[in-house]
Amino acid sequence: MSLLVIGSLALDTIETPFGKAERTLGGSATFIATSASYFTDQVRLVGIVGYDFPKEEIEFLKSKKIDLSGLEISSTKKTFHWHGKYNFDLNTRESLVTELNAFETFDPVISEKFRDSEYVCLGNLHPLLQKKVIDQITNPKLIMCDTMNFWIEGAYDDLLNILKVVNLLVINDSEARELSKEFNLVTAAKKIMSMGPDIVIIKKGEHGALLFVKDMIFSAPAFPLEQVFDPTGAGDTFAGGMMGWLAKTNDLSDKNLKLSVIYGSAMASLAVEKFSLDGIRDLSQENIMKRFNEFKKLTHFDEMSL
Amino acid sequence: MSLLVIGSLALDTIETPFGKAERTLGGSATFIATSASYFTDQVRLVGIVGYDFPKEEIEFLKSKKIDLSGLEISSTKKTFHWHGKYNFDLNTRESLVTELNAFETFDPVISEKFRDSEYVCLGNLHPLLQKKVIDQITNPKLIMCDTMNFWIEGAYDDLLNILKVVNLLVINDSEARELSKEFNLVTAAKKIMSMGPDIVIIKKGEHGALLFVKDMIFSAPAFPLEQVFDPTGAGDTFAGGMMGWLAKTNDLSDKNLKLSVIYGSAMASLAVEKFSLDGIRDLSQENIMKRFNEFKKLTHFDEMSL
């Protein structure tokens, strides 16, 4: 199945306690599309970059068989630039610079060719832009959407509107609490499901992710890494792996949704082991299956009755 | 196998956002022994209570087939009393009253009859008292010990000494970080293992627990409950279920250690659903196996390759 990915493409400068990377490839769409490309060669990207976007990064995305016909290159503006600095524990970060540049006027027009996309992955954008994308898709099977505290606080009604039409919301724990006004995550997920989405995934960073579908809850740990190098893009890499798996298998059973969360978690754990996108630039099927199997060892136990 | 349990017995007054319980049964040994009693009828308790300790609670512990011949009843002092108040999120609490009473001079003398105990569960006590217990056991198969930030800060050298002779340390995440001076929990666990214990379990509260054994890591989630009523004793209930399972099965393989963590987690999840000890006062084998099976559904996924 085809997978449409909409979101930002950026050049990030990232500082962590372990080093600094200057103007390295970033943005939600970049991480989502790259991660998904390991699962399907039907990834379609819609986004905008500036005239300064490196040609070799275009070639890199092409090498992943990502369809870039929906990528606009501005001839007058620079690429979205974010400069962030992570604190010692890597759980909190400070935004030092945010220059939207070309991304400021991003207006996602979906080409005729892309409108039949079955799976749709809406990276973190203003809910009105997300809505605009949805309105252009003719016959979607699954629409996933990400959001952030910024929109919960600044565009609450627009967000509620879009929740009515998306099937799957991926959100982190503090955002889930803020959106639902519930502290308990199970209650929060139920409340969010009552707002629209049939499937809610709550990301808990170093504590993994919870998948909620009707009466089913599934818990996936984060992979216990001794060294997390750079958490930038981990959530988008998770979403890309998950949606890539779903688009590949075209199966929305509880059983397969669980698998999608594990594949997403495996991809995210590989991403944070290196700076920026480097952890998922050049993976083999073996790399991914090795991590998948490690997740199995990490979580599975035998049956033995009391 | 026999399981020796040493720790406090208390009468707690507990306030949570959901209510208040006055002078209800508490203490580490109480929770550990009660939880373990569902797995083995060889639980031996060593502790002290005051003259005010309710006779019906003695009868309750006896009804669980816990051997109380090591329980001292002071005729001059009252029972250890703790009064705590939980904050809205149940993750933090305030100690309003701590009256050690009879527990202040607790001197754990192990009777001849108890010295051959194979499994030993040292509840949170001064490391010197824990050491004194260990010195009296003739041929232990597994010694588990709990501790807390108070001893890490106030009796660090004594704690290091005891770590050299215990096999299993159960500790929460912030204590693991404090003890090891490492932020990353994998690194922290490795460092703690280098201090002595072959097995380290890091409890992460609502995020579950991590089991570390040599090259094996196992991750157990906390059960996603919509309503946590009272987290008092959850960690001790976990330890009791885990050690009860190990004493019952007498198998320290990686495979069985994983199972012990799941049984401990199942017991802890049942405990927090009600006030104080009420959640585990009267369980059936069916109650426990139902929760065990829910843990399986919550964590297991099929195999399906990329």
Side-chain angles (χ1 to χ4, degrees), chain A residues 22-84:
Chain A
E22 303 256 13
R23 302 189 86 79
T24 178
L25 195 51
S28 61
T30 317
F31 280 99
I32 295 170
T34 304
S35 182
S37 74
Y38 290 98
F39 299 88
T40 167
D41 54 9
Q42 296 279 310
V43 179
R44 301 161 166 190
L45 189 148
V46 172
I48 187 166
V49 296
Y51 58 82
D52 60 340
F53 195 76
K55 287 210 172 44
E56 59 268 30
E57 297 297 21
I58 299 277
E59 292 310 313
F60 161 72
L61 293 169
K62 280 187 184 162
S63 78
K64 293 292 170 196
K65 300 200 173 125
I66 298 167
D67 185 333
L68 297 183
S69 62
L71 179 67
E72 194 184 337
I73 302 178
S74 167
S75 58
T76 56
K77 292 181 176 172
K78 292 177 91 173
T79 304
F80 179 18
H81 170 61
W82 177 73
H83 181 167

Side-chain angles (χ1 to χ4, degrees), chain A residues 13-270:
Chain A
T13 296
I14 296 163
E15 294 179 59
T16 82
F18 313 110
K20 184 173 177 177
E22 303 256 13
R23 302 189 86 79
T24 178
L25 195 51
S28 61
T30 317
F31 280 99
I32 295 170
T34 304
S35 182
S37 74
Y38 290 98
F39 299 88
T40 167
D41 54 9
Q42 296 279 310
V43 179
R44 301 161 166 190
L45 189 148
V46 172
I48 187 166
V49 296
Y51 58 82
D52 60 340
F53 195 76
K55 287 210 172 44
E56 59 268 30
E57 297 297 21
I58 299 277
E59 292 310 313
F60 161 72
L61 293 169
K62 280 187 184 162
S63 78
K64 293 292 170 196
K65 300 200 173 125
I66 298 167
D67 185 333
L68 297 183
S69 62
L71 179 67
E72 194 184 337
I73 302 178
S74 167
S75 58
T76 56
K77 292 181 176 172
K78 292 177 91 173
T79 304
F80 179 18
H81 170 61
W82 177 73
H83 181 167
K85 188 178 174 177
Y86 287 87
N87 296 320
F88 160 72
D89 65 5
L90 292 178
N91 284 323
T92 50
R93 67 187 187 189
E94 213 181 324
S95 287
L96 301 178
V97 180
T98 304
E99 293 166 358
L100 291 175
N101 299 329
F103 191 60
E104 189 164 10
T105 51
F106 178 48
D107 180 27
V109 176
I110 310 301
S111 66
E112 197 59 50
K113 184 181 162 198
F114 281 3
R115 289 188 186 189
D116 65 352
S117 298
E118 285 102 350
Y119 286 76
V120 179
C121 201
L122 302 169
N124 171 34
L125 291 172
H126 193 296
L128 287 180
L129 288 187
Q130 293 178 323
K131 180 69 168 49
K132 190 171 174 186
V133 173
I134 295 173
D135 288 342
Q136 298 172 76
I137 306 298
T138 51
N139 195 19
K141 283 204 65 151
L142 183 83
I143 300 173
M144 183 224 100
C145 127
D146 189 5
T147 193
M148 70 185 292
N149 51 356
F150 189 70
W151 310 122
I152 298 172
E153 290 152 23
Y156 189 70
D157 291 339
D158 297 328
L159 184 57
L160 288 190
N161 268 332
I162 197 178
L163 287 182
K164 288 177 193 152
V165 287
V166 304
N167 310 101
L168 197 175
L169 180 70
V170 176
I171 193 167
N172 77 30
D173 46 1
S174 68
E175 291 158 358
R177 288 178 169 131
E178 195 172 347
L179 175 60
S180 65
K181 301 183 178 72
E182 294 285 347
F183 184 80
N184 181 288
L185 291 180
V186 184
T187 316
K190 283 194 180 174
K191 205 161 162 187
I192 294 170
M193 288 165 94
S194 78
M195 298 172 180
D198 290 330
I199 311 165
V200 171
I201 294 176
I202 299 183
K203 296 174 292 180
K204 304 191 293 170
E206 60 164 331
H207 300 297
L210 290 170
L211 162 69
F212 297 85
V213 195
K214 277 195 198 114
D215 299 323
M216 195 265 282
I217 307 183
F218 177 63
S219 169
F223 196 71
L225 294 167
E226 212 163 336
Q227 175 90 298
V228 173
F229 212 72
D230 174 13
T232 310
D236 294 315
T237 305
F238 171 89
M242 186 198 69
M243 288 296 285
W245 175 260
L246 291 177
K248 173 193 172 74
T249 54
N250 191 27
D251 169 5
L252 297 177
S253 66
D254 286 2
K255 211 168 123 169
N256 202 51
L257 286 168
K258 285 181 175 188
L259 276 173
S260 77
V261 168
I262 295 297
Y263 275 111
S265 303
M267 293 304 292
S269 74
L270 293 163

Side-chain angles (χ1 to χ4, degrees), chain A residues 38-39 88-91 173 177 182-187 190 204 206-207 210 212 216-222 224-228 245 248-249 251 255-256 258-259 262-263 284-285 288-289 292-293 295-306, chain B residues 38-39 88-91 173 177 182-187 190 204 206-207 210 212 216-222 224-228 245 248-249 251 255-256 258-259 262-263 284-285 288-289 292-293 295-306:
Chain A
Y38 290 98
F39 299 88
F88 160 72
D89 65 5
L90 292 178
N91 284 323
D173 46 1
R177 288 178 169 131
E182 294 285 347
F183 184 80
N184 181 288
L185 291 180
V186 184
T187 316
K190 283 194 180 174
K204 304 191 293 170
E206 60 164 331
H207 300 297
L210 290 170
F212 297 85
M216 195 265 282
I217 307 183
F218 177 63
S219 169
L225 294 167
E226 212 163 336
Q227 175 90 298
V228 173
W245 175 260
K248 173 193 172 74
T249 54
D251 169 5
K255 211 168 123 169
N256 202 51
K258 285 181 175 188
L259 276 173
I262 295 297
Y263 275 111
S284 66
Q285 194 167 319
I288 297 170
M289 287 316 298
F292 178 92
N293 288 319
F295 265 92
K296 203 179 157 198
K297 279 188 205 149
L298 179 66
T299 55
H300 283 216
F301 51 89
D302 291 326
E303 232 160 319
M304 201 167 155
S305 267
L306 180 55
Chain B
Y38 290 97
F39 299 88
F88 161 72
D89 65 4
L90 292 177
N91 283 323
D173 46 1
R177 288 177 170 133
E182 294 285 348
F183 183 80
N184 180 288
L185 291 179
V186 184
T187 316
K190 283 193 178 173
K204 304 191 293 169
E206 60 164 332
H207 299 297
L210 290 170
F212 296 86
M216 196 266 282
I217 307 182
F218 177 63
S219 169
L225 294 167
E226 212 164 335
Q227 176 89 296
V228 172
W245 175 260
K248 173 193 171 75
T249 52
D251 170 3
K255 211 168 121 168
N256 202 51
K258 286 181 174 187
L259 275 173
I262 295 297
Y263 274 111
S284 66
Q285 193 166 319
I288 298 170
M289 287 315 298
F292 177 91
N293 288 320
F295 265 93
K296 203 179 156 198
K297 279 187 205 149
L298 179 67
T299 55
H300 283 216
F301 50 89
D302 292 326
E303 233 161 318
M304 202 168 152
S305 267
L306 180 55

Side-chain angles (χ1 to χ4, degrees), chain B residues 143-163:
Chain B
I143 300 172
M144 184 225 98
C145 127
D146 188 5
T147 194
M148 70 184 292
N149 51 355
F150 189 70
W151 310 122
I152 298 171
E153 290 151 23
Y156 189 70
D157 290 340
D158 296 329
L159 183 57
L160 287 190
N161 268 331
I162 198 179
L163 286 181

